[in-house]
Amino acid sequence: MGNFDRLRDLYAERRSFFARTLVALAFCLLLMLLLLWRAFDLQILQHEQLSTRSNDNRMRLVTVPPVRGLIFDRNGVVLAQNSPAYVLELVPEQVEDIEAMLDALSAIVKIDPSDRERFYERRKRTPSYRGVPVRTRLSFEEVARFQVNRHDFPGVDVRAGLTREYPLGKSMSHLVGYVGGVTERDLQQFGEADYRGTTHIGKTGIERQYEELLHGSTGAKIVETNATGRPLRDLDHRPANPGSNLHLTVDARLQLVAKEALKGYEGAIVALDPRNGEVLALVSEPGFEPRHFVDGISHERYRTLNNDPRRPLYNRALAGTYPPGSTIKPVMAMIALEEQVVSPEQRIYCPGHFELPNVTRHYRCWKRRGHGWMDLERAVAESCDVYFYKIAHELGIDRIEKMLGWFSLGQETGIDLPGERAGIAPSRAWKRAVRGQAWYPGETLNIGIGQGVMTMTPLQVALMTARIGTRGGSATPHVLRAIEHVDEGRTIAQAQKPLPDIPIANPEHWSKVHDSMVATMHSPGGTALSVGQDAAYRIAGKTGTSQVAGLSQEDEVAPDTESLPKHLRDHALFMAFAPADDPRIAVAVIVEHGGSGGAVAAPIARQVLDAWLHEGPVEVIAQDTAS
């Protein structure tokens, strides 16, 4: 041991130890300086920026979408309502791999291929910073499973909200319309700021027409969250203003009666109150189920609807344009009386055909053997074509064109619904501009019986009927009756818009036309006698047949409708107002390829008239929610 001690260099060991200690102290001091600098940088230099980011992590600004307004009929029957629903949403810009996220979500929430299809369709139409619904109407169990695993799904959340429902389904589909997902185009039209947090917007019908009233205004709240993003409490809250409730002029019971009357046909019914222009019923058959569009319709279902030969998505009442056929004859009679080309008592002989001077072609009457001698009342009641060929020829297209405008033919009515078409009121100028051709006398004859290039919508026919029934009065057709401002607790009735009076020089001419339409319904030989003869009230009506395919005028016997393929059969039309001496309803009916107006369309209209005049407006009833 003594020898070992002599070999040790104690001084060197102390010096080495001291050096190592200094290095360690220097390293520790350096670390302390770095920590102090970092603390200074975070607490002093970056305080404002990091404080803001910290608050952002702790507090979230959440938009509060407004509750969409409800839609009622004139008696308080709910036509569109909101029901509670949980929606699973994904924000695309917050998710790196969307497909992998959807796969992971599928393990806890059922996501069908159709759900994925709708999600990707919605994603194309939605800004990347907005939530895109993956699944709607989640069950409580699915919501609970997601909340337990919420930390595994950044960018995904469950939102408690409301979904739109339509209790009367197909019966109101073309009138009320439906809501769908908000698109970039919608945001450009209505403003992005007003639709933050809103997932649905009106697409068709009343839902689209009055979107700004129904939507309300968006609110906001500041929510404190924990480290996992789970909400803890609301720090500030600016409530959303709910949308206004809309009360419509339509009567749900009458709407269901009209739809049932049209069941099995393709066609339309429009019923107006001729005194103020209120739409009492507006049916286009077949309809469609609006609830399928609310959460996004699948490609397959939409393709089925679009390819359906019955065209359920087509609103025939507003956009369907058809030759009015003989329903135009009361107007033609009025024009002839005003222009003094015929008197009420003047008789014209109908041999079954009419010939223009120096022309060998026969323009046939629907009654090929002829009606014999006809005055104005009998000509309208029995719908004699030859009588109206003759007065149309004497009037000429220029005088006809001028007075057709008085009855709003060839013009949009101005109804407060989207998608209305104007139809065609033909003239020399129209044909020259559209076809580059001159007007021929034979075309004027066709206009005299409502054929040829003249077209009208069922709504226009109903308004024409209302204007006849009120002796040139009535008002612009409208569907909105009153606006209920929920946040203000007040309801504002909508004022009607009277139409300019039709300037008829001799008021007695109205009486003559009315008498001829009453004779159609209640006199022997009237084309709708079988429909009107047992009515408890007097009806003023007119049947019509709209030719679909050109048929030979040289045949002595008219072809049998039943022998023709359906797509070549004539359209059946009917228009009426009642009671005849004090009209409270004007109705127009068209049945596509129905054949005879008197046999098919008139009985349908009679059901609508009876429902309104016998029972009056009462509350509904049954719901039509079949898919």
Side-chain angles (χ1 to χ4, degrees):
M1 288 295 292
N3 293 334
F4 179 76
D5 290 338
R6 285 194 295 271
L7 292 174
R8 292 177 59 190
D9 187 347
L10 296 177
Y11 176 76
E13 287 180 2
R14 290 191 186 99
R15 188 173 56 185
S16 174
F17 176 78
F18 183 72
R20 289 196 298 270
T21 302
L22 287 177
V23 171
L25 288 173
F27 182 73
C28 290
L29 181 61
L30 179 62
L31 288 178
M32 289 181 63
L33 290 173
L34 287 174
L35 288 174
L36 288 173
W37 166 253
R38 184 58 177 162
F40 176 79
D41 180 50
L42 294 176
Q43 296 293 329
I44 306 300
L45 299 182
Q46 298 188 56
H47 171 75
E48 184 175 351
Q49 177 185 355
L50 294 177
S51 177
T52 301
R53 291 179 61 183
S54 175
N55 285 333
D56 287 344
N57 288 332
R58 184 173 64 90
M59 294 179 291
R60 293 166 53 196
L61 180 65
V62 179
T63 55
V64 180
V67 176
R68 192 171 182 84
L70 308 181
I71 302 176
F72 301 92
D73 87 330
R74 66 190 298 122
N75 302 305
V77 177
V78 178
L79 306 180
Q81 64 187 12
N82 305 309
S83 297
Y86 288 101
V87 180
L88 183 68
E89 288 186 342
L90 182 151
V91 181
E93 70 174 15
Q94 297 180 11
V95 178
E96 293 183 5
D97 189 338
I98 291 178
E99 188 65 25
M101 180 65 77
L102 293 177
D103 290 339
L105 284 169
S106 299
I108 61 171
V109 175
K110 183 179 179 181
I111 300 177
D112 294 329
S114 59
D115 295 323
R116 293 193 184 220
E117 180 185 354
R118 281 194 294 269
F119 168 79
Y120 284 115
E121 281 299 313
R122 290 166 177 153
R123 186 189 173 198
K124 294 176 185 177
R125 305 190 302 264
T126 307
S128 61
Y129 56 84
R130 294 172 63 96
V132 181
V134 178
R135 261 282 312 279
T136 58
R137 305 173 194 265
L138 269 67
S139 66
F140 290 117
E141 181 182 348
E142 288 175 319
V143 173
R145 283 203 304 267
F146 174 81
Q147 291 296 353
V148 170
N149 298 277
R150 186 179 184 281
H151 59 278
D152 294 330
F153 303 103
V156 182
D157 204 353
V158 169
R159 178 178 58 83
L162 299 171
T163 190
R164 202 65 161 171
E165 289 190 349
Y166 302 97
L168 297 187
K170 295 180 180 180
S171 299
M172 289 285 180
S173 55
H174 290 101
L175 192 150
V176 174
Y178 58 84
V179 298
V182 180
T183 66
E184 288 282 5
R185 185 176 179 181
D186 293 326
L187 294 178
Q188 292 173 4
Q189 179 176 349
F190 292 98
E192 183 176 332
D194 294 332
Y195 280 82
R196 290 196 180 108
T198 301
T199 58
H200 289 80
I201 194 170
K203 295 295 184 180
T204 64
I206 286 292
E207 293 275 29
R208 185 67 174 189
Q209 182 73 22
Y210 292 106
E211 168 61 31
E212 294 182 8
L213 287 172
L214 289 164
H215 177 256
S217 59
T218 302
K221 62 181 178 179
I222 299 176
V223 180
E224 184 178 16
T225 62
N226 61 17
T228 64
R230 186 183 297 275
L232 299 177
R233 59 173 176 157
D234 293 349
L235 299 179
D236 192 16
H237 186 206
R238 176 172 61 82
N241 292 323
S244 300
N245 294 337
L246 303 185
H247 297 260
L248 307 187
T249 62
V250 68
D251 182 275
R253 182 186 58 83
L254 189 69
Q255 182 87 0
L256 292 178
V257 168
K259 179 176 173 57
E260 184 63 25
L262 261 181
K263 189 175 182 179
Y265 294 109
E266 293 91 51
I269 298 176
V270 178
L272 304 176
D273 186 328
R275 301 166 296 184
N276 53 29
E278 291 185 349
V279 175
L280 305 176
L282 189 148
V283 174
S284 178
E285 182 66 12
F288 59 91
E289 184 52 64
R291 65 184 172 87
H292 292 152
F293 289 84
V294 174
D295 297 322
I297 190 168
S298 67
H299 276 303
E300 181 180 354
R301 190 186 294 273
Y302 183 74
R303 186 165 51 248
T304 299
L305 286 172
N306 227 16
N307 295 335
D308 189 331
R310 300 186 69 202
R311 299 183 296 171
L313 299 178
Y314 182 49
N315 189 343
R316 291 166 166 85
L318 297 183
T321 54
Y322 311 88
S326 294
T327 61
I328 201 68
K329 288 176 180 177
V331 172
M332 296 301 301
M334 176 62 73
I335 298 174
L337 290 173
E338 277 293 290
E339 294 296 320
Q340 299 181 0
V341 302
V342 70
S343 67
E345 297 78 21
Q346 182 179 343
R347 296 172 37 165
I348 296 174
Y349 186 72
C350 170
H353 65 273
F354 179 81
E355 295 178 6
L356 287 167
N358 303 317
V359 176
T360 58
R361 177 186 174 182
H362 286 177
Y363 291 86
R364 297 284 183 179
C365 184
W366 71 267
K367 192 174 185 179
R368 297 298 173 102
R369 66 177 182 272
H371 288 89
W373 290 101
M374 292 274 108
D375 60 15
L376 184 139
E377 179 176 305
R378 299 315 308 164
V380 173
E382 298 185 30
S383 201
C384 175
D385 291 335
V386 169
Y387 184 96
F388 288 95
Y389 286 146
K390 181 172 177 57
I391 64 173
H393 177 61
E394 294 188 20
L395 282 167
I397 188 59
D398 298 323
R399 288 196 284 183
I400 292 174
E401 176 203 355
K402 179 185 73 172
M403 294 190 69
L404 287 181
W406 294 355
F407 290 88
S408 304
L409 273 67
Q411 308 167 26
E412 293 182 5
T413 66
I415 190 173
D416 52 341
L417 284 172
E420 181 185 11
R421 293 179 64 185
I424 299 173
S427 65
R428 297 181 192 276
W430 174 86
K431 190 179 180 189
R432 192 177 298 111
V434 174
R435 299 187 177 178
Q437 299 173 351
W439 187 268
Y440 299 110
E443 294 174 297
T444 305
L445 302 188
N446 283 332
I447 299 304
I449 62 168
Q451 300 291 165
V453 294
M454 173 191 287
T455 60
M456 298 175 65
T457 65
L459 175 61
Q460 287 176 322
V461 176
L463 179 57
M464 177 182 74
T465 308
R467 303 215 73 185
I468 296 172
T470 56
R471 299 174 180 262
S474 198
T476 300
H478 60 281
V479 179
L480 182 61
R481 196 180 199 203
I483 303 171
E484 180 185 353
H485 297 285
V486 179
D487 54 338
E488 301 175 11
R490 63 192 180 104
T491 300
I492 301 176
Q494 295 300 288
Q496 66 186 57
K497 299 177 182 177
L499 292 167
D501 289 338
I502 295 176
I504 297 300
N506 187 348
E508 281 301 309
H509 291 163
W510 289 117
S511 298
K512 296 300 182 183
V513 171
H514 285 195
D515 290 344
S516 68
M517 295 176 68
V518 170
T520 300
M521 308 299 302
H522 300 284
S523 295
T527 54
L529 176 63
S530 61
V531 175
Q533 62 183 349
D534 63 341
Y537 50 91
R538 288 172 69 76
I539 306 170
K542 184 69 193 79
T543 58
T545 302
S546 173
Q547 187 173 309
V548 172
L551 301 173
S552 173
Q553 292 289 313
E554 300 306 319
D555 295 338
E556 293 295 332
V557 179
D560 178 19
T561 298
E562 297 300 323
S563 67
L564 295 172
K566 182 179 178 180
H567 70 281
L568 294 180
R569 296 177 188 175
D570 296 337
H571 300 320
L573 297 98
F574 182 77
M575 56 92 140
F577 59 86
D581 55 348
D582 182 22
R584 301 200 303 274
I585 182 172
V587 63
V589 177
I590 181 165
V591 179
E592 292 183 357
H593 309 294
S596 167
V600 178
I604 291 173
R606 173 67 188 277
Q607 294 181 55
V608 176
L609 295 173
D610 282 350
W612 187 251
L613 297 175
H614 279 184
E615 301 175 24
V618 295
E619 258 187 63
V620 185
I621 47 218
Q623 297 182 346
D624 178 14
T625 56
S627 59

